[in-house]
Amino acid sequence: MQDFVFSDPWALLAGCVAVVLVGLSKGGLGGALALLGVPIMALAIPPVQAAGILLPILLVMDAISLWAWRGQYHAATLKRMLPGAAIGIGIGWLTAALVSDAMVRLIVGVVALAFSARWLLSGQTRRAAPRPQNAARASVWATLAGYTSFVAHAGGPPFQVYAMPLRLDPKLYTGTSVIFFAVVNVIKVIPYAALGQFDATNLFAAAALLPLAVVATLSGAFVVRRMRAEVFYPVMYVMVVLVGLRLCWDGLSALF
């Protein structure tokens, strides 16, 4: 009989809360919730094991999100960002031993907070005005998103720095984000499998949490589909701030 990671009630509670938060995020409610997944699960089990359990769940959540947001995407944004993301993942794989996760988290956190502060200090007219597409800018932020997603599971803020100022319809923005990170996670399967993340114990635990993951992901999509742009974008900027604060805290705590 396969050992069950969540046989302890506290571990089971932590696992369920983590999966619900990540599922709501995958459904479209922003990266701050997803960022809490591994830390919450790691309250009861080792962090590396928490990441190993969540990885196959994330892949299933991506599949559900792709179905929930099918037909809702912005092709021009994906065309400009996906090549850079693949390059970023490759750079992360090649240089993972050279830069600590803590430093990467701190850098991304500072970028997220600076981005949010810039939006907050800008005038109302400037906030509402969409920024045009720019291939060079898209490549830079997409490469950073791919890199930070690989080394620190923190690809959300760099993606948002480029995509949010485009002021896409909330459904298009969410669907585009879903496709972008689904592709990123699929590319990450090979290096993560090479690191031994898919052992039998972790896969058994992941399978036990999958029903809850499905419900949470669909619930997130249900909420976002009913949000107007004037509500959606302020909520997303709040999420970016929360992500930035969490990343800075994690980075500083690990470094000092």
Side-chain angles (χ1 to χ4, degrees):
M1 178 68 178
Q2 176 65 50
D3 292 335
F4 186 45
V5 174
F6 301 117
S7 56
D8 177 77
W10 169 241
L12 179 61
L13 176 61
C16 289
V17 171
V19 166
V20 167
L21 292 177
V22 175
L24 290 173
S25 174
K26 281 292 184 181
L29 281 176
L33 299 178
L35 195 66
L36 297 174
V38 171
I40 289 176
M41 195 178 288
L43 294 173
I45 62 177
V48 173
Q49 187 176 23
I53 291 170
L54 277 176
L55 186 57
I57 295 176
L58 288 174
L59 295 172
V60 174
M61 287 177 173
D62 285 334
I64 296 169
S65 296
L66 288 170
W67 175 82
W69 294 101
R70 62 194 183 280
Q72 302 280 354
Y73 63 92
H74 195 251
T77 301
L78 290 172
K79 180 179 179 181
R80 287 170 172 81
M81 296 196 75
L82 284 175
I87 293 172
I89 293 170
I91 294 173
W93 193 359
L94 293 173
T95 64
L98 303 178
V99 182
S100 69
D101 287 358
M103 182 59 69
V104 172
R105 288 180 182 273
L106 179 58
I107 292 171
V108 176
V110 170
V111 169
L113 291 179
F115 169 62
S116 302
R118 181 175 178 272
W119 175 82
L120 183 63
L121 295 174
S122 64
Q124 185 66 35
T125 301
R126 185 176 177 182
R127 293 180 198 174
R131 174 183 287 178
Q133 295 277 357
N134 182 283
R137 190 164 58 240
S139 296
V140 169
W141 290 112
T143 300
L144 185 58
Y147 176 80
T148 54
S149 180
F150 180 85
V151 301
H153 303 293
F159 174 85
Q160 291 166 325
V161 168
Y162 179 77
M164 286 176 59
L166 299 176
R167 298 291 296 182
L168 302 174
D169 177 86
K171 296 183 183 64
L172 287 180
Y173 172 88
T174 303
T176 302
S177 173
V178 164
I179 293 174
F180 179 83
F181 285 105
V183 173
V184 166
N185 285 335
V186 168
I187 296 174
K188 286 162 56 178
V189 166
I190 295 175
Y192 271 80
L195 295 174
Q197 294 278 15
F198 296 134
D199 62 36
T201 299
N202 288 351
L203 290 175
F204 185 80
L209 293 174
L210 275 180
L212 186 59
V214 172
V215 173
T217 304
L218 292 175
S219 298
F222 177 84
V223 173
V224 172
R225 284 184 184 278
R226 285 152 181 80
M227 293 178 72
R228 302 186 308 275
E230 57 268 27
V231 175
F232 177 81
Y233 278 99
V235 169
M236 289 298 102
Y237 276 102
V238 170
M239 291 294 186
V240 174
V241 171
L242 295 176
V243 168
L245 291 173
R246 177 71 202 196
L247 288 171
C248 287
W249 173 262
D250 288 348
L252 290 171
S253 298
L255 288 172
F256 301 108

